[in-house]
């Protein structure tokens, strides 16, 4: 379905519809290699599987990783499953990393972005067929307005 997103430079939008299953401080090891706050959203086969840009900016990093198809809630799925990693750099210089992760049923990630491309908050950047999981990594200290289970 279409969305009417109000673009706001100080907000980070959820890139996926689904259920928040993780909110924790962790070390992001692929790009930042430093502590970040991770928010993970599980998409069941009944959710909308379109993924949207959480912020506006320019894609500063993109990588596709072939991999396994473990169940999406398995902690190893973040590093072992088929996935994409996207980093968008906002106009103010801050960067947000988000990762599409294929699961047991999904087995097909689609993306429309590439490095150097400008993107707009709330616009589609891809989708995961039949759901799975999207992880978002934001700076430590970012105010989080969702809770696990929402």
């Amino acid at each position: 379905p279409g969305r009417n997103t109000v673009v706001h430079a100080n907000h980070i939008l959820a890139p996926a519809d689904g259920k928040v299953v993780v909110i924790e401080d962790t070390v992001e090891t692929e790009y930042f290699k430093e502590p970040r706050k991770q928010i993970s959203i599980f998409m069941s086969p009944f959710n909308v599987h379109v993924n949207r840009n959480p912020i506006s900016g320019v894609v500063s990093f993109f990588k596709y990783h072939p991999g396994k198809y473990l169940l999406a809630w398995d902690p190893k799925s973040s590093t072992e499953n088929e996935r994409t990693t996207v980093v968008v750099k906002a106009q103010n210089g801050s960067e947000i990393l988000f990762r599409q992760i294929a699961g047991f049923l999904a087995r097909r990630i689609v993306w429309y972005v590439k490095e150097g491309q400008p993107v707009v908050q709330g616009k589609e950047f891809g989708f995961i067929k039949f759901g799975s999981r999207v992880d978002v990594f934001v700076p430590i200290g970012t105010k989080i307005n969702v809770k696990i289970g929402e």
Side-chain angles (χ1 to χ4, degrees):
R3 292 274 167 85
N4 293 321
T5 302
V6 176
V7 176
H8 194 295
N10 292 328
H11 293 172
I12 302 166
L13 302 181
D17 292 348
K19 185 177 196 176
V20 176
V21 294
V22 171
I23 300 174
E24 66 184 12
D25 292 348
T26 188
V27 174
E28 194 288 313
T29 59
E30 180 178 2
Y31 180 80
F32 293 116
K33 298 178 175 42
E34 64 184 24
R36 290 279 156 159
K37 175 80 69 181
Q38 176 181 338
I39 301 108
S40 297
I41 302 164
F42 173 73
M43 295 179 293
S44 82
F46 302 107
N47 290 117
V48 173
H49 303 123
V50 171
N51 301 141
R52 300 176 188 279
N53 295 301
I55 65 171
S56 294
V58 175
V59 177
S60 57
F61 178 82
F62 175 86
K63 186 164 185 178
Y64 168 75
H65 303 270
K68 298 177 182 178
Y69 300 101
L70 303 173
L71 295 172
W73 52 81
D74 186 322
K76 292 181 181 179
S77 68
S78 289
T79 56
E80 294 186 16
N81 279 19
E82 177 187 12
R83 63 200 179 282
T84 66
T85 300
V86 181
V87 178
V88 172
K89 187 173 190 173
Q91 193 171 21
N92 67 6
S94 64
E95 291 182 304
I96 303 298
L97 182 149
F98 41 102
R99 185 173 288 136
Q100 295 172 293
I101 303 167
F104 182 73
L105 287 176
R107 299 181 182 243
R108 178 85 166 106
I109 295 175
V110 178
W111 63 91
Y112 314 126
V113 296
K114 60 181 185 244
E115 284 186 27
Q117 176 183 348
V119 296
V120 176
Q121 186 178 51
K123 298 295 182 189
E124 290 184 32
F125 75 85
F127 62 95
I128 306 174
K129 293 184 178 184
F130 301 116
S132 245
R133 194 168 112 191
V134 175
D135 292 344
V136 183
F137 293 85
V138 300
I140 296 291
T142 299
K143 181 181 177 189
I144 307 299
N145 291 327
V146 297
K147 295 179 177 65
I148 291 179
E150 290 185 331

